[in-house]
Coordinates of all heavy atoms in Angstrom, one line a residue:
G1 N -13.0 5.1 -7.3 CA -12.2 6.2 -7.8 C -10.8 5.8 -8.1 O -10.2 6.2 -9.1
L2 N -10.1 5.1 -7.2 CA -8.8 4.6 -7.4 C -8.7 3.7 -8.6 O -7.8 3.7 -9.4 CB -8.2 4.0 -6.2 CG -8.0 4.9 -5.0 CD1 -7.6 4.0 -3.8 CD2 -7.0 5.9 -5.3
S3 N -9.6 2.8 -8.7 CA -9.6 1.8 -9.8 C -9.8 2.5 -11.2 O -9.1 2.2 -12.1 CB -10.8 0.8 -9.7 OG -10.6 0.0 -8.5
A4 N -10.7 3.5 -11.2 CA -11.0 4.2 -12.4 C -9.7 5.0 -12.8 O -9.3 5.1 -14.0 CB -12.1 5.2 -12.3
Y5 N -9.0 5.6 -11.8 CA -7.8 6.4 -12.1 C -6.7 5.5 -12.7 O -6.1 5.9 -13.7 CB -7.3 7.0 -10.8 CG -6.1 7.8 -11.0 CD1 -6.1 9.1 -11.6 CD2 -4.8 7.3 -10.5 CE1 -4.9 9.8 -11.7 CE2 -3.7 8.1 -10.7 CZ -3.7 9.3 -11.3 OH -2.6 10.0 -11.5
A6 N -6.6 4.3 -12.1 CA -5.5 3.4 -12.6 C -5.9 2.9 -14.0 O -5.0 2.8 -14.8 CB -5.4 2.2 -11.6
I7 N -7.1 2.7 -14.3 CA -7.5 2.1 -15.6 C -7.5 3.2 -16.6 O -7.0 3.0 -17.7 CB -9.0 1.6 -15.5 CG1 -9.0 0.3 -14.6 CG2 -9.5 1.2 -16.9 CD1 -10.4 -0.2 -14.3
L8 N -8.0 4.4 -16.3 CA -8.0 5.5 -17.3 C -6.7 6.0 -17.6 O -6.3 6.3 -18.8 CB -9.0 6.6 -16.9 CG -10.5 6.2 -16.8 CD1 -11.3 7.3 -16.2 CD2 -11.0 5.8 -18.1
T9 N -5.8 6.2 -16.6 CA -4.5 6.8 -16.9 C -3.5 5.7 -17.3 O -2.5 6.0 -18.0 CB -3.9 7.5 -15.6 OG1 -3.8 6.5 -14.6 CG2 -4.9 8.5 -15.1
R10 N -3.8 4.5 -17.0 CA -2.9 3.3 -17.3 C -1.5 3.5 -16.8 O -0.5 3.1 -17.5 CB -3.0 3.0 -18.8 CG -4.4 2.8 -19.3 CD -4.4 2.4 -20.8 NE -4.1 1.0 -21.0 CZ -4.9 0.0 -20.9 NH1 -6.2 0.3 -20.5 NH2 -4.6 -1.2 -21.1
K11 N -1.4 4.2 -15.7 CA 0.0 4.4 -15.1 C 0.5 3.1 -14.5 O -0.3 2.3 -14.0 CB -0.1 5.5 -14.1 CG -0.3 6.9 -14.7 CD -0.2 8.0 -13.6 CE -0.3 9.4 -14.2 NZ -0.2 10.4 -13.1
D12 N 1.8 3.0 -14.4 CA 2.4 1.8 -13.8 C 2.7 2.2 -12.4 O 3.5 3.0 -12.1 CB 3.7 1.5 -14.6 CG 4.3 0.2 -14.1 OD1 3.7 -0.4 -13.1 OD2 5.3 -0.3 -14.6
F13 N 1.9 1.5 -11.5 CA 2.1 1.8 -10.0 C 3.0 0.7 -9.4 O 2.8 0.5 -8.1 CB 0.8 1.9 -9.3 CG 0.0 3.1 -9.6 CD1 -1.0 3.1 -10.6 CD2 0.3 4.3 -9.0 CE1 -1.7 4.3 -10.9 CE2 -0.4 5.5 -9.3 CZ -1.4 5.5 -10.3
S14 N 3.8 0.0 -10.1 CA 4.6 -1.0 -9.6 C 5.6 -0.5 -8.6 O 6.1 -1.2 -7.7 CB 5.4 -1.8 -10.7 OG 6.2 -0.9 -11.4
F15 N 5.9 0.8 -8.6 CA 6.8 1.5 -7.7 C 6.3 1.5 -6.3 O 7.0 1.7 -5.3 CB 7.1 2.9 -8.1 CG 5.9 3.8 -8.1 CD1 5.6 4.5 -6.9 CD2 5.1 4.0 -9.2 CE1 4.5 5.4 -6.9 CE2 4.1 4.9 -9.2 CZ 3.7 5.6 -8.0
L16 N 5.0 1.2 -6.1 CA 4.4 1.2 -4.8 C 4.7 -0.1 -4.0 O 4.4 -0.2 -2.8 CB 2.9 1.3 -4.9 CG 2.3 2.7 -5.3 CD1 0.8 2.6 -5.5 CD2 2.7 3.7 -4.3
S17 N 5.4 -1.1 -4.7 CA 5.6 -2.4 -4.0 C 6.5 -2.2 -2.7 O 6.2 -2.8 -1.7 CB 6.3 -3.3 -5.0 OG 7.6 -2.8 -5.4
G18 N 7.5 -1.3 -2.8 CA 8.3 -1.0 -1.6 C 7.5 -0.4 -0.5 O 7.7 -0.8 0.7
F19 N 6.7 0.6 -0.9 CA 5.8 1.2 0.1 C 4.9 0.2 0.8 O 4.6 0.3 2.0 CB 5.0 2.4 -0.5 CG 4.0 3.0 0.4 CD1 4.3 3.9 1.3 CD2 2.6 2.6 0.2 CE1 3.3 4.5 2.1 CE2 1.6 3.1 1.0 CZ 2.0 4.1 2.0
I20 N 4.3 -0.7 0.0 CA 3.3 -1.6 0.5 C 4.0 -2.6 1.5 O 3.5 -2.9 2.5 CB 2.7 -2.4 -0.7 CG1 1.8 -1.5 -1.5 CG2 1.9 -3.6 -0.2 CD1 1.2 -2.1 -2.7
M21 N 5.2 -3.1 1.1 CA 6.0 -4.0 2.0 C 6.3 -3.3 3.3 O 6.1 -3.8 4.4 CB 7.2 -4.5 1.3 CG 8.1 -5.4 2.1 SD 7.1 -6.9 2.7 CE 6.9 -7.7 1.2
A22 N 6.8 -2.0 3.2 CA 7.2 -1.3 4.4 C 6.0 -1.0 5.2 O 6.0 -1.1 6.5 CB 7.9 0.0 4.0
G23 N 4.9 -0.6 4.6 CA 3.6 -0.3 5.3 C 3.1 -1.5 6.0 O 2.6 -1.4 7.1
F24 N 3.2 -2.7 5.4 CA 2.8 -4.0 6.0 C 3.5 -4.2 7.3 O 2.9 -4.6 8.3 CB 2.9 -5.1 5.1 CG 2.6 -6.5 5.7 CD1 1.3 -6.9 5.9 CD2 3.6 -7.3 6.1 CE1 1.0 -8.1 6.5 CE2 3.3 -8.5 6.7 CZ 2.0 -8.9 6.9
I25 N 4.8 -4.1 7.2 CA 5.7 -4.3 8.4 C 5.4 -3.3 9.5 O 5.2 -3.7 10.7 CB 7.2 -4.2 8.0 CG1 7.5 -5.4 7.1 CG2 8.1 -4.3 9.3 CD1 8.9 -5.3 6.5
V26 N 5.3 -2.0 9.2 CA 5.0 -1.0 10.2 C 3.6 -1.2 10.8 O 3.4 -1.1 12.0 CB 5.0 0.4 9.5 CG1 4.5 1.5 10.5 CG2 6.4 0.7 9.1
L27 N 2.6 -1.5 10.0 CA 1.2 -1.7 10.5 C 1.2 -3.0 11.4 O 0.5 -3.0 12.4 CB 0.2 -1.9 9.3 CG -0.1 -0.6 8.6 CD1 -0.9 -0.8 7.4 CD2 -0.8 0.4 9.6
L28 N 1.9 -4.0 11.0 CA 1.9 -5.2 11.8 C 2.5 -4.9 13.2 O 2.0 -5.4 14.2 CB 2.8 -6.3 11.1 CG 2.9 -7.7 11.8 CD1 1.5 -8.3 12.0 CD2 3.8 -8.6 11.0
G29 N 3.6 -4.2 13.2 CA 4.2 -3.8 14.5 C 3.3 -2.9 15.3 O 3.2 -3.1 16.5
A30 N 2.6 -2.0 14.6 CA 1.7 -1.1 15.4 C 0.5 -1.9 16.0 O 0.0 -1.7 17.1 CB 1.1 -0.1 14.4
V31 N 0.0 -2.9 15.2 CA -1.1 -3.8 15.7 C -0.7 -4.6 16.9 O -1.4 -4.7 17.9 CB -1.6 -4.7 14.6 CG1 -2.6 -5.7 15.1 CG2 -2.3 -3.9 13.5
V32 N 0.5 -5.1 16.9 CA 1.1 -5.9 18.0 C 1.2 -4.9 19.2 O 0.9 -5.3 20.3 CB 2.4 -6.5 17.6 CG1 3.1 -7.1 18.9 CG2 2.2 -7.6 16.6
A33 N 1.7 -3.7 19.0 CA 1.9 -2.8 20.1 C 0.6 -2.4 20.7 O 0.5 -2.1 21.9 CB 2.6 -1.5 19.5
S34 N -0.5 -2.3 19.9 CA -1.8 -1.9 20.4 C -2.3 -2.9 21.4 O -3.2 -2.6 22.2 CB -2.8 -1.8 19.2 OG -3.1 -3.0 18.6
F35 N -1.8 -4.2 21.4 CA -2.3 -5.1 22.4 C -1.7 -4.8 23.8 O -2.3 -5.2 24.8 CB -1.9 -6.5 22.0 CG -2.6 -7.0 20.7 CD1 -1.8 -7.6 19.7 CD2 -3.9 -6.9 20.6 CE1 -2.5 -8.1 18.6 CE2 -4.6 -7.4 19.4 CZ -3.8 -8.0 18.4
F36 N -0.6 -4.1 23.8 CA 0.1 -3.8 25.1 C -0.2 -2.4 25.5 O -0.1 -2.1 26.7 CB 1.6 -4.1 24.9 CG 1.9 -5.5 24.5 CD1 2.2 -5.8 23.2 CD2 2.0 -6.5 25.5 CE1 2.5 -7.1 22.9 CE2 2.3 -7.8 25.1 CZ 2.6 -8.1 23.8

């Protein structure tokens, strides 16, 4: 569904790079916290 949406609309989702980086850091911290 997501692949088809990106291909058919041909929208530029490069703006998600910041969200992805922030999400990676937050998720990494949450995973570490889950050990404790």
